[in-house]
Amino acid sequence: MTTMELLSRIRRSPADAAEAWIAEADAISIPRIDEASAQPRPSNLGVSYVEQEYRARAEEQEVAWPARGEAAARPFQTRAQGLDRQTKAIESLLTEKETEVRETRADYRHAAHVLGSFVRREPGGKLRYWLCWPVLWFGDTAGIWSAAITNGDVPYVAFGQAFSAGLAAACAGLVGSELRDIRMARARQCDSESLSKDEQPYRHLFTAGAGGLRIVKLIGCLSLLVVALLAVGISALRSSIEGDASGLTFGLLAGATAIGSGLLGYAASDQVADLLAHYRKCARRAEKEFLTLAGSKPLRRRAAAEETARSLHAEHKLLGQAAGRFMEFLAARVQRRNSQVFGHGVPAGEQNGLIGRKARRGGAA
């Protein structure tokens, strides 16, 4: 049986190949020239042709199997190389994004350490604001919409007008957050020279002047005007449909909604807490983008292809070594079955014997 036939059987089943090699080794018979008179290996017997043959086969296996591994790994190596340019670009972005993650997390930790004691909004205050504010908005919208439909307007046209009017009423109360910010800024206000080195980056929170109060007063007046116009408009609309009492009721409700929006904004506003939330959001966004890049398909595909190729190389290298050791086993088996020529073992005093020794160039032991 040729080596290529044995390799073909290995592809189907290693056990079949092993049995074939054993059968081939068992079939070898060395002609007896003279009866061996000594039990140990004869001292005048060097390296036999059988040993040379199987040692050559062992060396062949240790080369042939890695070659097969190279062929099996080639598609995966090609795939990894095809992704090389794309993955290098992603790795470059990952390096930059990693720097961004470190910087944004450092900014957030620094801001939280320096400004944490100035936070006045309780946990969940912002969530409560975003849950209640749309309710106030849609409450005004529903009241105006129902009145407009009762008055005979086209429903979707009436909804657009009611939606914008309800939004105006809800936004009129946003001035409450400005008033809260001004009050808290005055409480934090101090001389810029007295700020510590850590507080210097946030000096706008501690040195806010009163120059913006005029603008806030103007916005407050405009917000009150919006509330008044909405209350009068809704009152007039309802009065024309359902009477003066209903008109007055819905007008007061519209005003109360706008005032409630202002109180809600005042309660939820905290400039320092919003700044910390901004830093935290930036850090989380940078982390999310970094993890998204790190888990991108080109990186995963190249890593999988490289690992598969490495595993195939390692597998075939080990199979080649195993096949080489098996050839040494067969060589020893041939000698054992022909003890009349080779004797029954290694002479006393020889440590390793001949089995397993590599043949040198030229056939010497």
Side-chain angles (χ1 to χ4, degrees):
M1 180 178 297
T2 64
T3 302
M4 294 306 297
E5 290 175 346
L6 292 175
L7 290 176
S8 177
R9 298 193 67 170
I10 290 176
R11 295 192 192 105
R12 296 194 301 269
S13 171
D16 292 345
E19 292 296 331
W21 275 331
I22 292 174
E24 181 184 10
D26 288 346
I28 294 176
S29 178
I30 299 177
R32 183 172 55 194
I33 298 175
D34 192 12
E35 189 74 27
S37 59
Q39 297 297 325
R41 182 185 179 97
S43 60
N44 61 348
L45 180 61
V47 180
S48 65
Y49 295 135
V50 172
E51 292 172 284
Q52 291 182 354
E53 175 187 354
Y54 275 94
R55 286 176 180 174
R57 286 193 177 188
E59 293 176 357
E60 177 194 16
Q61 297 305 309
E62 293 181 0
V63 175
W65 277 100
R68 284 177 49 80
E70 181 68 24
R74 187 176 297 118
F76 301 98
Q77 292 174 325
T78 304
R79 186 181 307 170
Q81 287 297 319
L83 294 169
D84 185 65
R85 187 176 184 86
Q86 191 173 7
T87 52
K88 283 183 178 179
I90 295 175
E91 288 170 352
S92 177
L93 292 176
L94 274 174
T95 302
E96 296 180 3
K97 188 59 65 175
E98 184 178 2
T99 303
E100 181 183 348
V101 170
R102 285 198 300 267
E103 291 176 351
T104 54
R105 293 182 65 179
D107 290 342
Y108 171 66
R109 287 194 296 266
H110 183 266
H113 174 71
V114 176
L115 303 175
S117 60
F118 296 99
V119 175
R120 295 294 178 266
R121 186 172 62 208
E122 70 278 8
K126 200 67 174 180
L127 177 62
R128 181 176 64 245
Y129 172 81
W130 286 114
L131 290 176
C132 296
W133 190 78
V135 174
L136 297 175
W137 173 9
F138 286 114
D140 262 342
T141 299
I144 300 172
W145 190 26
S146 63
I149 292 176
T150 304
N151 194 39
D153 287 349
V154 179
Y156 64 85
V157 175
F159 177 77
Q161 295 174 339
F163 196 77
S164 60
L167 180 60
C171 290
L174 295 179
V175 69
S177 61
E178 295 293 333
L179 295 175
R180 175 72 179 273
D181 288 342
I182 290 175
R183 188 182 73 82
M184 296 182 67
R186 287 182 173 178
R188 292 191 303 267
Q189 191 170 3
C190 62
D191 186 7
S192 60
E193 298 298 329
S194 64
L195 295 177
S196 65
K197 183 179 179 180
D198 288 334
E199 292 174 341
Q200 284 293 334
Y202 318 105
R203 57 182 174 272
H204 65 283
L205 297 175
F206 301 96
T207 59
L213 185 59
R214 298 176 183 175
I215 298 177
V216 174
K217 289 180 179 180
L218 176 60
I219 295 174
C221 292
L222 293 176
S223 298
L224 290 176
L225 179 60
V226 170
V227 173
L229 291 175
L230 285 172
V232 172
I234 294 175
S235 177
L237 179 60
R238 286 285 181 176
S239 297
S240 64
I241 300 172
E242 301 172 356
D244 294 339
S246 177
L248 178 61
T249 301
F250 279 93
L252 293 175
L253 289 176
T257 300
I259 295 173
S261 176
L263 295 175
L264 182 64
Y266 184 87
S269 180
D270 189 333
Q271 194 175 10
V272 175
D274 290 339
L275 181 62
L276 293 180
H278 169 72
Y279 280 127
R280 182 170 61 250
K281 184 178 180 180
C282 290
R284 289 179 177 176
R285 182 172 62 246
E287 291 172 358
K288 183 178 180 180
E289 292 174 355
F290 177 78
L291 292 175
T292 301
L293 278 175
S296 58
K297 286 185 178 180
L299 290 179
R300 289 188 283 110
R301 288 174 178 173
R302 189 185 72 170
E306 289 178 345
E307 177 60 22
T308 303
R310 184 207 62 78
S311 179
L312 286 171
H313 281 305
E315 176 187 3
H316 285 80
K317 180 180 179 180
L318 293 174
L319 287 173
Q321 293 174 354
R325 301 300 180 272
F326 193 76
M327 288 301 173
E328 295 177 7
F329 152 72
L330 293 179
R333 184 181 180 89
V334 170
Q335 295 175 68
R336 177 181 63 81
R337 293 177 61 84
N338 293 274
S339 58
Q340 68 274 19
V341 175
F342 296 101
H344 293 101
V346 181
E350 190 169 343
Q351 296 295 326
N352 297 324
L354 299 175
I355 299 175
R357 289 193 305 183
K358 295 293 183 180
R360 297 176 185 174
R361 296 290 182 181

